[in-house]
Amino acid sequence: MPLNAADDGFAETLSRALPKDTLRRAEPRYLEEPRGRWQGVSRWVALPRTVEEVSTIVRACNAARVGVLPYGGGTGLVGGQIAPDGPAPLLISLERMSAVRAVYPQENVLVAEAGAVLADVQSAAQDAGRLFPLSLASEGTARIGGLLSTNAGGLNVLRYGNAREQVLGLEAVLPDGSIWHGLKRLRKDNTGYDLRGLLVGAEGTLGVITAAALKLSPIPASTGTALLAVESPAAALDLLALAREQLGEMVSAFELIGRMSFDFLAEALPGLRQPWPEAPAWCVLVDLGLAQGMDPETALETLFAAGMEAGLVSDGLVAQSQAQAQQFWDIRERIPEANRHIGAIASHDVSLPLSALPEFIETGLDRLAQLGDFRVNCFGHLGDGNLHYNVFPPKGRKKQEYESQRADVQRCVHDLVNEMGGSVSAEHGIGRLKVPDLERYSDPAKLAAMRAIKAALDPAGIMNPGAVLRA
């Protein structure tokens, strides 16, 4: 049976069961997404303050066969937070559920509600003398519920893992309105199926995450940052292996940046200070978090010297202060801003086995050249195999001129990723944008199992209809 719209009549009925100001007309900010690809059709947004109110809302939607669209910080890049067509779903924004409920420093655990902004969770952990390591460019607006629902990655995956690895327990409202009280702070709990792991990364299609017990880590005694010039991605991989041999798990981040990134930054953000007079073909941004008694400058200089001796490194800059380290990270974190200014024909968030990365980068350039004259800005989280492989028009041309080729460009890149055993969605999720990709590249058994899980937990199909799995 088809779903019904969350129309004025439904909103009026639902409002009687909720506090007076819980339902509002959906403002434009709830109906837009960062890349401007879709416009939402939702008319109403619910802003609950408690898990019980979320339960009341979801139960009513299930009974009326009205779609539910959980909404976090709105920073998603694949349309998971936007319903552009179909019967208008009810948006549920968790922004009022933003409390840090408890911190347990001895346990290295923090319990936060789903509407808590990532930067606020990081600050709460720091106030307790701990680190919450999830870090990404949108941390000032992204909320915990959305980050967990998309299994966000970010800058520190190499050392600490994706969002899924940062979660011990969850509180969530399931599609029938029942509340799962799963906020356990346990490292070991072998009592059946892992609902925590299932809901993390489900993009709101299996329930609404309302709170999470999050893992904290010790704050490193000291940190160090360097930019090291390398000849090629293959040399960068060898340098990563060398860094981990010397420093083990103290390598927090290892980012690959190509010359095209520096060219785009110079064109789009001429006021941004460049680290080199002439950018190298490739470089890596290395970030260390060290134990007590270790000197970061010495550690990085030792790595630089070993890299030079092995013929992997040709130049290097070791940050002499926290301010200079931040300047290096500003270079990395503003690449997406420069990309938006230039205008990509197609953007690709992909992951591959580490050893396959150099071949993928070169083969991708060769295959794209067969389609036309393009520029490729390749950068990303080399340490965990996640690249942002974005394709642009030649200088002086606009992306609008290549709209007819966008699908072919994307297919070219994604086919190669699939051939080489990679994933066409490394950290951004599936949302609505990549539903066809999921259908094209997923293992049939996995896709069938996903559909069976969805049907079992959400038989009416109300949870984020059209996201991840085709409605």
Side-chain angles (χ1 to χ4, degrees), residues 436-457:
D437 291 319
L438 182 68
E439 295 171 344
R440 178 176 174 83
Y441 301 112
S442 272
D443 180 272
K446 175 184 176 179
L447 201 55
M450 289 175 61
R451 288 171 175 150
I453 292 167
K454 172 72 170 174
L457 293 181

Side-chain angles (χ1 to χ4, degrees), residues 206-459:
L206 300 177
V208 183
I209 295 172
T210 54
L214 303 170
K215 287 183 188 177
L216 304 181
S217 297
I219 297 175
S222 59
T223 59
T225 305
L227 277 170
L228 304 178
V230 295
E231 182 180 343
S232 65
L237 275 179
D238 289 340
L239 183 63
L240 171 62
L242 183 61
R244 301 198 79 172
E245 286 172 9
Q246 291 187 355
L247 297 158
E249 296 306 312
M250 289 182 285
V251 182
S252 298
F254 202 89
E255 300 286 303
L256 180 71
I257 306 173
R259 180 181 292 152
M260 190 68 72
S261 292
F262 291 104
D263 292 346
F264 280 14
L265 286 165
E267 182 178 342
L269 304 167
L272 185 66
R273 184 177 178 181
Q274 296 266 1
W276 281 290
E278 183 177 347
W282 296 95
C283 71
V284 292
L285 175 59
V286 186
D287 208 55
L288 306 181
L290 301 180
Q292 195 76 34
M294 298 185 69
D295 177 57
E297 189 172 336
T298 300
L300 287 166
E301 288 174 352
T302 301
L303 175 62
F304 173 73
M308 287 281 287
E309 184 177 350
L312 303 174
V313 178
S314 60
D315 196 3
L317 300 168
V318 177
Q320 302 299 305
S321 65
Q322 189 59 43
Q324 191 174 25
Q326 187 56 55
Q327 287 177 0
F328 290 173
W329 274 106
D330 283 347
I331 292 289
R332 165 61 182 87
E333 292 179 345
R334 299 191 74 178
I335 294 172
E337 182 181 348
N339 284 348
R340 288 192 294 273
H341 177 87
I342 303 296
I345 298 168
S347 300
H348 310 97
D349 162 49
V350 301
S351 65
L352 293 111
L354 292 187
S355 62
L357 288 169
E359 181 184 353
F360 165 77
I361 292 170
E362 289 304 316
T363 303
L365 292 173
D366 292 341
R367 290 197 184 180
L368 286 168
Q370 297 173 24
L371 296 179
D373 183 15
F374 303 112
R375 292 182 291 175
V376 174
N377 191 5
C378 173
F379 66 101
H381 318 302
L382 185 75
D384 55 57
N386 175 197
L387 292 180
H388 301 293
Y389 197 81
N390 300 340
V391 181
F392 297 81
K395 194 168 185 177
R397 307 289 293 273
K398 299 294 184 182
K399 67 177 183 179
Q400 290 81 3
E401 301 174 50
Y402 295 82
E403 185 61 32
S404 63
Q405 286 188 275
R406 190 170 76 85
D408 291 337
V409 167
Q410 191 169 71
R411 177 69 60 84
C412 173
V413 173
H414 284 175
D415 280 356
L416 178 60
V417 169
N418 188 60
E419 287 171 28
M420 300 184 74
S423 168
V424 298
S425 180
E427 63 178 355
H428 291 164
I430 296 297
R432 289 169 175 79
L433 176 66
K434 294 189 176 181
V435 170
D437 291 319
L438 182 68
E439 295 171 344
R440 178 176 174 83
Y441 301 112
S442 272
D443 180 272
K446 175 184 176 179
L447 201 55
M450 289 175 61
R451 288 171 175 150
I453 292 167
K454 172 72 170 174
L457 293 181
D458 182 21

Side-chain angles (χ1 to χ4, degrees), residues 92-147:
I92 300 183
S93 172
L94 280 296
E95 62 197 75
R96 285 176 171 171
M97 296 181 63
S98 60
V100 173
R101 292 184 184 174
V103 184
Y104 303 90
Q106 287 184 318
E107 300 179 18
N108 282 322
V109 176
L110 179 151
V111 179
E113 293 181 332
V117 173
L118 175 55
D120 294 336
V121 172
Q122 293 169 337
S123 295
Q126 188 169 23
D127 290 345
R130 297 293 185 267
L131 172 73
F132 183 60
L134 186 61
S135 178
L136 59 164
S138 60
E139 60 195 30
T141 51
R143 299 180 186 273
I144 290 298
L147 292 165

